[in-house]
Structures are given as C-alpha cells and as structure tokens.
Amino acid sequence: MRRTSSLLLALALALGASACATGGGPRSAAAAPRPAPVSPRQAVVSVIVNGQDPDFGSPWVKGEAWQRRINGLVVEGKRILVHARRLANRTLVLVEKSGESKRYEAEVELVDYEVPLGLLTVKDPEFWEGLEPLRIADEVPVEGDVTICRWLDSGQFEEARAVVKQLRVSTHFPGTTQLLTLELSSPINASGWGEVVVSEGEVVGITTSSAEDTLPTLAAPVLRQFLEQAEAGTYRGFAGHGFAWQRLTNSALRQRLGLGPDEGGVRIREVLGYGTAAGVLKVGDVLLEINGHKIDERGKFKHPEYGRLYFDVLFTDGVNPGDVVDVKVLRDGARQDLQVTLQANRPDDGVVPRYVIDQSPEYHEVGGLVFMPLTFDYMRQWQGWWENGPLYLLVAIDARNANPTRPGERMVVMSKVLPDAVNLGYADLGALLVSKVNGRPILGLDDLRAALKAPQDGFHIIEFDPGQSASRLVLDAKAAEAAAAGIHQRYGLPDPQ
Amino acid sequence: MLTLALTLLAVSAPGLEDSVVKVQVYSSRFDYASPWRMSPVHGASGTGFLLDGKRIVTNAHVVRDARQILVKRHHVANPFVARVEVVANDCDLAILRVEDPAFHEGLIPLKIGDGLPERKSSVTTYGYPAGGQELSSTTGIVSRVEWLTYVQTGSDAHIAVQTDAAINPGNSGGPVIQKGKVVGVAFQGAPHLQNVGYFIPAPLVRHFLKNLEDGHYDGFPDSGFKTTDLISPAYKAERGLKPDEHGVVVEEVAPDGTGDGVLKPGDVLLAVDGVDIADDGSVALAGVVRGPFSHLVDMKQVGEKVRFKVWRDGKRQDLEATARRIARYDRFRYQWSTPPRYLVYSGLVFMPLDVEYLRTWGKGWPGKVPRAMTWNHFFKESAAPERANEETVVLARILQHPITAELSVGPSVLETVDGHPVRSLAELDDLLTQARLRGKGQLNLGFADGYEETLNLEETEAAHPRILQTYGVRREKNL
C-alpha cells in the first residue's frame, strides 16, 4: 500500500543539504517496520477540555466556564494528538479511555493553533495500559470510503462510514496555514470535534470542523509532519508564503507580461510586509515555479500523488520554517531564480493579531476610558464581524494589517467608556481608533501608557482617526487619577499594580 | 369632544377638502444592476394639494420614477393627466402641473402657514390612505419636533414634526392643517413605532418654494462641518471656556461646505446668526421648541450669508460664511427618476461609486462590498481631503464573453487606465475613447488590491458591438 513519496524525492533533490536534513530525517522514521494491526478503540481516547474564554467587551473579567468533549489519537512516545482549536483558553484537560469513566489529568506539551494541532501527555502510567498507537498513513486516499472513529458522550465507540469527496488545500480555523485537507462527506451528527479518520488500519486524518455534511479533515501528512517536528524537539511551526496573487487566465494580460501560452504562472498583487515573501518577491512578479513544480495560470500544480492542488501547499507540505524554497519568477520580462526562506505563520505578525489565546486580553483604563489593542478577537464581539463590525475598523484592518511600520505595531481602540463624572459627555463613545494621545502617535498600548505620563497643561487629549463618529476628547488628568479607585470599584476592575 | 369641534371647523372651511387630490402614479425603476434596463411598471398612489399658481404639492417619493401621473379630484369621476414640474428629493417635496383648465375649476389654493406648530396643538391630516377613493381625515396632536433623516434620499436630515394623527401609505403628500392653514406635508412614519407619523413642517415647504422663485431648484445647503458637544467640563476647560459659556467644538471641516475656509477644527461654535448654541448643540427654534443648530444653516438658501460666532485663540470672533451645497454628497442620496450613469465597454460595466450601485450588493452592503469601495465611499474625504472631489469609478459587473470570461478581477475600484488615474466616469470615457481611436495595441487597467488586467484592443473593438447586442444594451453609456 505504501509507496515511496516521489514528491519527497523531488524536494530532497531540489533542496540540497539543508532540505535533506528536514525532508529525509522524518520520512526515514516513517519507513520503520509496521507494527501489528491495532484496533482504533485502543488508539482513540476521549478528551474533556474545560476552559474559560476571555471577555473582550470587559477584558478584566472572564466569561462563562465551558466543557467540551473531543477525540484524541494515541501516538508513539505516549502522547495524544488532538485537534487544537478546543484547547484554546483551557483550564483543565482530562482524558478517558476505552469507554471507562475514570478520568486522568492531561498536560498540553505542545500546541500550535496555526495548524491547529496539539500534543498531550498523561503522567499516570495506568492510563497507558491497553492503549496502542495507531499508525499514521504516509498517503491519503483521494476517493473511496473511510471510517470516522470517535467516543460518544455515552461511552460508546462509534465507527461511522464516510466518503472522501476530494483532497484539497485549505486552512483550519483559527489557523491560516494552507494544508493538505481531506474533505469527507458523512451524515453523522455533531461531528468535526477531532474525530480520528481511519482507512485500511491507518490514520488518514483528524476532523477539524463540519458544515452541512462536509467534514474538513487535516490529512495524515500534516499530522506526520507535526509529530516529526515535535519529536525533533525544535518545533518551528508551519509556514505561509506571505503574498496575494491573481490568476493569469486573461491571454491579453499574459501577452503583455511576456508569458508564453503554456507557461502558466500567477501574478503577485500584494506582498505582506512580513513573512516568507517579504524582501524577495515583488508586486507584479509572475510566479512560474516552486521547487521545480510548474504553477499553472490558475495557481495549481501537479502533485505526484494527489493531482492538481493549489501551490500554497508547496510552502507547507514536507517543508518547515527555516527551509529554503526555490522560486522561479518572471520579473520585468526576465525569468529569474530566487530563493525564499520559509517563515512560520504567527497570529501576531500583522498589525492586528488574528487571535489572542491562552492569555488575558490587554487593556489600559484611564478615567473610565478603556483602551485595547485592535485584534480579531476584539472584533468578534460583533456577530459576523467581518461584515457587521464597525466600518472604520474594518477598513483600517484592511489598510494597515499587512504592513506594520515596526514589529509589534498595534492599532489601539478606545473600546468603551465606563460612565463617571470624570468622563461626562463621552459615555456613548466606543470602538474608536486612536491616532494620538497627548500629541504622540499611538502604535501600541505601550505608546499609550507612555503618552499618558505626559499630559498637556493638565489634560489628557485623545485624538481619533478622522472620519469616525468622534475626533477628539479631553480628560482632566488629575481628576482622572482621583476618580480611578471609584471607577475600579464600581465596575469591578482590579486596581493596577 | 376636541375631535368633533375640529371636524366641524374643517367642514366650515369651504373648498379645503376639494383642494386635496389623489395622485395616482405608474412608475418604473431603473435597474442599477443592469443600468440600461428598467423594472416592470408598478402602480401606487399618494395625496397632493393645490397651491397658488395652479401648482400641486406632493411628496417627491409619491412621484419617484414616475412614467405616468394621474390626479383625481375629490368626487370628480375622471382623472387628469399631470406632469412633474420640479422634484426636491432632499426635502421630499414635488410640484405637479395639470394643464387641463377643467381641473382647476372651483378649486381654492391652500395657504402655507408660518413657523412651527406648538407642541400638543391639534392638527388634521387629509389624504387617501391605502389608495381609497374617498378623502380621509384624522386629527391628532403635535407630539414633538425632531431632527430626522428623510427616507427619500436616506441621507438628508431636516427637522420634522411628529404627530399621532394617522399617517399611512397613501397619505403621503397630503396637507396637515391647523387653523385653516397648511402647517406641514405628511410624508413618513416610523417603522417600529405605533401612532407615530411625521410631516414636513411649513418652514421647510417655504424654503423649497422660495428656492423655486428663480425657476430652478438648488437644494438645501450643507453645513459641511462636524461638531462634538461640550458636555464634558474638561473639554470645555481645555478650550479655555468658562463653565457658563456654551457651544460645540468644530472637529472636521469638509472641503466646499459652508464652513470651508471659515471654521477651523478646534473652534468652539457659540452662535449661528446670533442664536446661542447650548453645550448639546441645540438652539431655541420657536417658543419652547428646541432643535439642533444645524437647522439654522439648513434654513439658508444656497448663496446666503451665515454668521458664526466662534471662540478661537482665547477670544470671541464673528465670522461670515456663505451657505454652500456640496455636490459630491449626491453619491449618498438615493436616486430617483434620473437614469443611472454607466459606461459599458466590451462587456465591462463601469459605474460611479454611489449608494445606488452599492445597494445592489444587498442589505448590509457597507461591510459586504470590497473594502476599497467602503473606503472610497465613506472615508476618502477625511483621509485624503485633496481627493474629496474625485469621483470613484468601479467595475460594477462583467458581461460574460470569451474575452471577459477569463479576467481575474471581479467587482472592484478602477484606479488607472494605461497608467492614468481615473477620477471620474467622464475621465474614464476620455481615456477609453483615446484608446479606441488607436484601435489596436493594449489597454491596461489597474484596480484596487493590486489587480491588473489587459485588454487587446483589436479583440475588444470587434467584440464590443456583439456584446452590446447579445445582452441587449441599448445605450453603451450614460455619463
């Protein structure tokens, strides 16, 4: 059933020494002798995650505590591999095995929300009795039946049939990494909670969500790559390419760019100010080849096993951050061979962090005015925020996110006003993007804190980006200081240290 | 008892009821998704009343997109054909004319009152609610005077009077009578409130009529500046004002508005035309009725002088401005009766970015459209005042043809043609005309978000007439 991955060979040849180390090492582990067949019951465990999400509306309090049951896969080295979305903001992780009601405490050894996958350990040796790792497949089927394995709340083990619809390249919330994804079709209810997908006795994927009867599933090669990085002890994450592109199906445009009719290629239309492409690729470049794979005019390449896939996966499949990828571009009419060094996707590389997980939201309060860095989580207070959030903030995110003027730059919003005599007249203001405080430009909460140390003639002057519902407000600096204790008490804020 | 007394009063005013007419309208709306097309004809009715000079006053929204207008007198069987003489969408008023002298026989023009009616005073509405044949009248009281968005354009706000006298569809355009005079024109309700109707008060009707005296309607002026109230004692102290001095702070001044070149951000506006402004921005309008100071500018005719008293640099200053109307704000107004502006070339449909195009994206469009459109529509003026008067042109849709089917770009803001910035639909037309005169070579289009497309002129010149024919585009442009 297993074949040598010719993709891997091609990669190893193209990448030279450094790539051989990453590409060759893990895969040779995969070639180890195959263990005796293991029943999925022995390899799938039930994971009960308790957590408490922050409240971005009142960042000093925590929201309701919650509990969710997901599935975990026992892997080599007494570890449990889980879909990580539900590990976010956890307070306690417990595991159950074999449908028994005894629960064991688990620790999170590694979590990467960009995939999203996590690795759990359980200290109690008793837990591991009777459990066996299930082998993760080298390749995944692109059609036919597979089995979805999971523990139900009732303690029953369910093996449900599912059909592979297609193999494609997709991201998995909250991550933005473009990864090999199996799309399954299955009628089973309440799925998409990290169920283990098995085919011919091997794991082919872990589900990450569900929509209608479709289950996006992280494909086995992604699981392997995650585990291999984890085993090596130097987990580096997964990369992104860091640009936006347009297809080149318009023949007149191809002609103008000097592209042959069969040359394929996509045009780069935006380059992020950070990440893999920054400083190497330019707007207007036509991307022709990646590691020797020809990119067609719609952005797909021919994967040796899986057929035509979007090229984005060439920046993740079998390659890790730090690796060098060869890129052939057409620039100003000339074909050039370039190299990019893969940079890991991080949620906070842009000006607006895509998520803030496992940490309390930052805020700063003065005179009842609450300031926060603008984050996607902040925006999620508005249902369907991408369309329904405050319009100016949506436009500002679009305009500024990709190009921080300095690392760690943030936009700061005055998120709300806690009504008090000291801020009389401002109670209805909120969700305003701050431009300056006391005359100083604000590119982060630290800037704001520093600026508040320098009031102007006894006043704090807060200025907002023009075009919003308010442009400026003024606080009496001394009065704000005097009002602090009262405001904190009345609205339940902790006193600052 | 009060109702009875007023009914008797109305009956005792001879001819008043005869002067209230039913306006029957057959309308057809332009389809902004396919701007060369019209939607099916639709019938609706409203109310109008006779004014001196053989004019019939009604709401602009009664005759929106009208193709045929019939006016029916009370208790006269046959309708008369009417035409629109002037439409003022910004205050939802219109003047109709009936040429047939028979129509005017025995009709007494109604008189427009002065000022605002007092709160709690009785008013009677006359009209044809729900289209009925018989004139209906109901009496209620004046609940309050509000600053209200007029839904006809969705963008203009003026004062309006709220009443509990029933104002239902069909009442629109009907007179609201007090002591035998028209104190307002019924025009809209409040969707989520019961027993709430609004009428356009007499001062606005008079403003409209006065503006028409030169035979041309110029519209209401725009104050063109944004203020924030001075409720905050800290803000007031920072501006250097004493607690017993009142006004509002000027925050942004729009190019070409009434405040342009006169007011500055940071000024405290103390009074308009000698009327003092309170810290919440309100002024005394009539008796105990208060309203926003904007009303004082609103009541000016374009070109009239406005006096501002401001607190600037630690002293009071008297400034004089000229009331101006900002033409570019038409893009925020719903458009009625006027054909959409567009340009089709080789299947690419270009339109100016305005609220009518944006509405084709459906409810919630501000967050649904490409962000570049949102920015250009709402925020460009504040972020780049020097570009305020540039008209944004969008690629609105693509009519599918082998040449256009393979384009990568979708609906988007068009930024450049052959490297030249596109700053209006007319400029795009010029650039395209020049290119089409060349007839060969390439045409390069640059869009927002870094998209580029190229057209081969020989191909597009050949395809253009065929695409127009295939899709039934009768006019290739309306600039």
Side-chain angles (χ1 to χ4, degrees):
Chain A
M1 280 281 101
R2 282 192 294 134
R3 281 167 286 171
T4 316
S5 166
S6 52
L7 169 67
L8 187 74
L9 264 172
L11 282 177
L13 287 172
L15 292 181
S18 73
C20 276
T22 20
R27 297 283 173 159
S28 57
R34 204 169 156 180
V38 173
S39 152
R41 288 179 68 97
Q42 295 170 273
V44 179
V45 296
S46 201
V47 181
I48 298 111
V49 187
N50 295 277
Q52 201 171 15
D53 293 330
D55 178 350
F56 278 77
S58 303
W60 49 89
V61 299
K62 283 199 164 190
E64 280 296 299
W66 48 262
Q67 186 180 74
R68 295 263 156 67
R69 186 184 288 267
I70 60 173
N71 292 274
L73 170 69
V74 175
V75 296
E76 294 289 348
K78 292 200 161 56
R79 298 285 187 277
I80 301 166
L81 180 65
V82 292
H83 170 215
R85 180 175 172 187
R86 300 299 158 190
L87 293 182
N89 302 316
R90 65 195 171 272
T91 51
L92 177 66
V93 184
L94 301 167
V95 286
E96 290 174 3
K97 61 169 178 172
S98 317
E100 295 163 9
S101 56
K102 176 158 186 188
R103 292 180 177 181
Y104 302 82
E105 188 174 346
E107 275 172 34
V108 177
E109 188 175 76
L110 174 68
V111 61
D112 185 352
Y113 297 109
E114 280 299 312
V115 186
L117 285 172
L119 214 46
L120 310 180
T121 59
V122 179
K123 284 221 181 77
D124 190 340
E126 182 194 283
F127 173 74
W128 299 102
E129 286 169 19
L131 292 178
E132 291 291 341
L134 194 56
R135 192 173 187 289
I136 297 172
D138 292 310
E139 286 166 17
V140 292
V142 294
E143 57 184 25
D145 288 359
V146 292
T147 306
I148 297 179
C149 303
R150 61 171 173 178
W151 289 102
L152 301 172
D153 288 351
S154 60
Q156 278 176 308
F157 192 66
E158 183 184 45
E159 293 182 81
R161 198 179 73 93
V163 178
V164 177
K165 282 165 84 172
Q166 61 170 338
L167 186 106
R168 60 191 204 98
V169 178
S170 178
T171 62
H172 298 260
F173 188 83
T176 53
T177 312
Q178 300 281 356
L179 297 164
L180 276 179
T181 301
L182 270 179
E183 220 172 69
L184 307 181
S185 175
S186 166
I188 70 168
N189 288 327
S191 51
W193 299 91
E195 293 89 2
V196 176
V197 182
V198 173
S199 171
E200 299 186 22
E202 293 185 334
V203 175
V204 294
I206 289 182
T207 68
T208 59
S209 60
S210 72
E212 309 274 318
D213 67 341
T214 299
L215 290 171
T217 301
L218 279 170
V222 179
L223 310 182
R224 296 186 74 96
Q225 193 173 338
F226 177 81
L227 289 172
E228 283 153 8
Q229 281 206 62
E231 249 171 69
T234 51
Y235 186 82
R236 281 179 289 171
F238 282 77
H241 51 58
F243 59 83
W245 52 277
Q246 69 174 96
R247 55 178 211 263
L248 284 178
T249 41
N250 172 4
S251 57
L253 179 56
R254 298 186 62 81
Q255 220 179 328
R256 172 163 76 88
L257 294 169
L259 283 164
D262 302 320
E263 214 177 351
V266 295
R267 180 179 170 275
I268 293 177
R269 57 178 182 85
E270 274 172 0
V271 178
L272 303 187
Y274 52 89
T276 300
V280 182
L281 298 179
K282 291 184 185 168
V283 170
D285 283 353
V286 178
L287 187 62
L288 297 169
E289 288 180 18
I290 300 161
N291 276 343
H293 294 279
K294 282 191 66 169
I295 310 304
D296 72 20
E297 66 277 11
R298 291 176 189 275
K300 291 189 170 181
F301 73 103
K302 191 171 179 306
H303 189 285
E305 314 296 336
Y306 304 133
R308 301 207 79 81
L309 295 176
Y310 278 110
F311 72 83
D312 312 64
V313 79
L314 290 170
F315 292 88
T316 58
D317 184 36
V319 288
N320 295 318
D323 294 350
V324 172
V325 166
D326 291 322
V327 170
K328 185 178 188 178
V329 300
L330 174 68
R331 179 181 293 173
D332 303 328
R335 281 148 191 82
Q336 301 187 21
D337 291 306
L338 305 173
Q339 292 192 318
V340 291
T341 304
L342 296 180
Q343 309 281 322
N345 274 334
R346 279 183 240 284
D348 53 0
D349 275 337
V351 173
V352 189
R354 286 182 277 109
Y355 49 83
V356 178
I357 290 178
D358 301 337
Q359 51 188 304
S360 301
E362 279 187 283
Y363 71 94
H364 185 84
E365 177 271 336
V366 60
L369 316 185
V370 181
F371 297 92
M372 295 176 76
L374 181 61
T375 60
F376 281 24
D377 286 300
Y378 170 80
M379 297 297 289
R380 285 190 187 102
Q381 293 176 80
W382 288 271
Q383 192 81 36
W385 71 271
W386 190 248
E387 290 185 359
N388 305 324
L391 219 46
Y392 188 77
L393 298 184
L394 295 178
V395 168
I397 290 171
D398 183 63
R400 285 177 56 187
N401 190 22
N403 290 294
T405 55
R406 65 168 200 226
E409 174 182 337
R410 297 287 174 263
M411 289 190 261
V412 171
V413 287
M414 187 180 85
S415 66
K416 61 159 67 173
V417 176
L418 305 171
D420 184 86
V422 78
N423 57 44
L424 189 66
Y426 308 139
D428 297 330
L429 301 181
L432 293 166
L433 191 59
V434 177
S435 59
K436 288 180 182 172
V437 171
N438 294 331
R440 302 182 187 198
I442 300 301
L443 298 176
L445 221 45
D446 287 341
D447 287 352
L448 178 105
R449 290 192 184 101
L452 287 171
K453 292 200 170 83
Q456 308 286 294
D457 299 325
F459 297 105
H460 290 311
I461 295 164
I462 320 291
E463 290 173 78
F464 305 106
D465 270 19
Q468 303 181 88
S469 60
S471 305
R472 186 176 189 271
L473 62 79
V474 177
L475 274 186
D476 183 311
K478 281 221 170 77
E481 219 170 288
I487 291 173
H488 293 172
Q489 204 218 337
R490 196 141 28 93
Y491 294 98
L493 273 75
D495 279 320
Q497 279 78 37
Chain B
M1 294 315 281
L2 184 68
T3 314
L4 184 64
L6 272 157
T7 309
L8 289 172
L9 184 75
V11 170
S12 69
L16 188 148
E17 301 207 342
D18 290 331
S19 299
V20 181
V21 297
K22 182 177 173 184
V23 182
Q24 185 82 38
V25 177
Y26 298 92
S27 62
S28 169
R29 178 134 182 85
F30 290 99
D31 177 359
Y32 277 79
S34 304
W36 49 89
R37 271 186 35 185
M38 275 194 205
S39 304
V41 175
H42 167 82
S45 71
T47 304
F49 62 91
L50 193 74
L51 205 66
D52 57 4
K54 297 191 172 173
R55 298 177 290 181
I56 299 165
V57 174
T58 187
N59 284 143
H61 79 258
V62 168
V63 294
R64 56 168 70 153
D65 298 320
R67 306 295 157 196
Q68 159 96 76
I69 301 168
L70 298 176
V71 172
K72 206 169 166 302
R73 278 180 60 171
H74 191 221
H75 290 162
V76 174
N78 295 328
F80 296 84
V81 173
R83 63 176 175 80
V84 175
E85 183 167 277
V86 64
V87 172
N89 287 311
D90 59 355
C91 59
D92 202 1
L93 291 169
I95 302 265
L96 310 182
R97 286 267 178 204
V98 175
E99 301 297 347
D100 190 340
F103 171 79
H104 295 279
E105 275 171 29
L107 286 190
I108 304 162
L110 302 188
K111 288 200 161 51
I112 308 288
D114 303 297
L116 294 165
E118 282 180 29
R119 214 161 64 82
K120 294 187 193 169
S121 63
S122 291
V123 291
T124 303
T125 65
Y126 289 85
Y128 295 85
Q133 292 301 320
E134 281 295 315
L135 181 67
S136 154
S137 65
T138 63
T139 297
I141 61 159
V142 170
S143 309
R144 58 177 169 179
V145 177
E146 280 184 69
W147 186 253
L148 192 74
T149 297
Y150 279 36
V151 296
Q152 168 70 350
T153 63
S155 159
D156 291 279
H158 309 282
I159 56 164
V161 180
Q162 185 191 317
T163 176
D164 64 351
I167 292 179
N168 289 305
N171 270 114
S172 286
V176 180
I177 304 288
Q178 186 175 67
K179 293 175 189 159
K181 279 190 172 179
V182 177
V183 288
V185 179
F187 81 123
Q188 65 190 46
H192 305 296
L193 296 177
Q194 304 228 316
N195 299 328
V196 169
Y198 292 97
F199 61 85
I200 304 164
L204 265 94
V205 181
R206 286 179 169 271
H207 184 281
F208 163 70
L209 295 172
K210 186 172 176 221
N211 191 297
L212 284 178
E213 282 170 7
D214 65 356
H216 181 260
Y217 184 67
D218 304 295
F220 281 75
D222 291 291
S223 67
F225 57 91
K226 215 166 80 178
T227 60
T228 186
D229 58 33
L230 256 188
I231 301 293
S232 163
Y235 207 153
K236 189 178 275 188
E238 188 262 351
R239 290 289 90 192
L241 248 65
K242 296 194 191 81
D244 62 351
E245 296 174 304
H246 307 287
V248 291
V249 183
V250 175
E251 292 202 320
E252 284 184 54
V253 181
D256 315 315
T258 304
D260 190 14
V262 178
L263 298 174
K264 290 186 199 168
D267 286 350
V268 181
L269 185 60
L270 305 168
V272 175
D273 279 351
V275 181
D276 289 337
I277 300 175
D279 289 334
D280 64 355
S282 70
V283 292
L285 294 186
V288 294
V289 177
R290 293 189 74 83
F293 78 86
S294 329
H295 174 68
L296 300 175
V297 180
D298 203 42
M299 283 296 98
K300 297 283 173 182
Q301 299 290 348
V302 171
E304 280 186 319
K305 297 294 180 203
V306 188
R307 286 179 297 121
F308 294 125
K309 180 178 279 181
V310 301
W311 175 260
R312 182 190 290 174
D313 303 330
K315 51 181 188 283
R316 280 183 178 66
Q317 302 193 22
D318 288 302
L319 308 172
E320 192 178 73
T322 303
R324 293 161 81 182
R325 184 178 179 278
I326 302 178
R328 63 176 178 274
Y329 288 173
D330 280 344
R331 74 173 185 278
F332 296 122
R333 297 184 167 100
Y334 300 144
Q335 297 296 309
W336 308 102
S337 306
T338 46
R341 296 168 55 218
Y342 68 95
L343 184 162
V344 182
Y345 180 61
S346 185
L348 306 185
V349 183
F350 296 99
M351 295 176 79
L353 182 67
D354 63 19
V355 69
E356 290 292 358
Y357 164 71
L358 289 163
R359 284 212 287 172
T360 65
W361 286 74
K363 205 167 146 52
W365 60 262
K368 279 185 190 163
V369 301
R371 294 285 191 253
M373 292 187 191
T374 312
W375 184 82
N376 274 284
H377 191 63
F378 291 113
F379 302 116
K380 182 177 77 178
E381 175 165 331
S382 289
E386 70 285 359
R387 292 180 53 202
N389 287 314
E390 293 178 12
E391 178 175 72
T392 304
V393 177
V394 295
L395 173 60
R397 62 180 294 190
I398 298 170
L399 302 174
Q400 297 289 296
H401 175 273
I403 287 182
T404 59
E406 295 294 3
L407 297 184
S408 173
V409 73
S412 182
V413 172
L414 176 68
E415 292 182 339
T416 58
V417 170
D418 284 335
H420 299 285
V422 175
R423 290 164 299 202
S424 67
L425 194 63
E427 191 167 23
L428 170 64
D429 185 49
D430 283 347
L431 290 164
L432 280 179
T433 305
Q434 286 167 32
R436 294 184 67 182
L437 283 173
R438 288 204 311 271
K440 56 179 195 257
Q442 292 172 326
L443 181 72
N444 298 317
L445 307 175
F447 297 92
D449 300 320
Y451 279 94
E452 283 191 9
E453 293 291 358
T454 295
L455 300 176
N456 188 328
L457 282 164
E458 273 174 70
E459 287 171 16
T460 51
E461 280 299 290
H464 180 60
R466 267 181 275 143
I467 296 176
L468 292 183
Q469 200 189 8
T470 305
Y471 289 91
V473 182
R474 284 169 305 165
R475 277 178 76 184
E476 64 178 32
K477 62 187 171 190
N478 174 37
L479 300 178

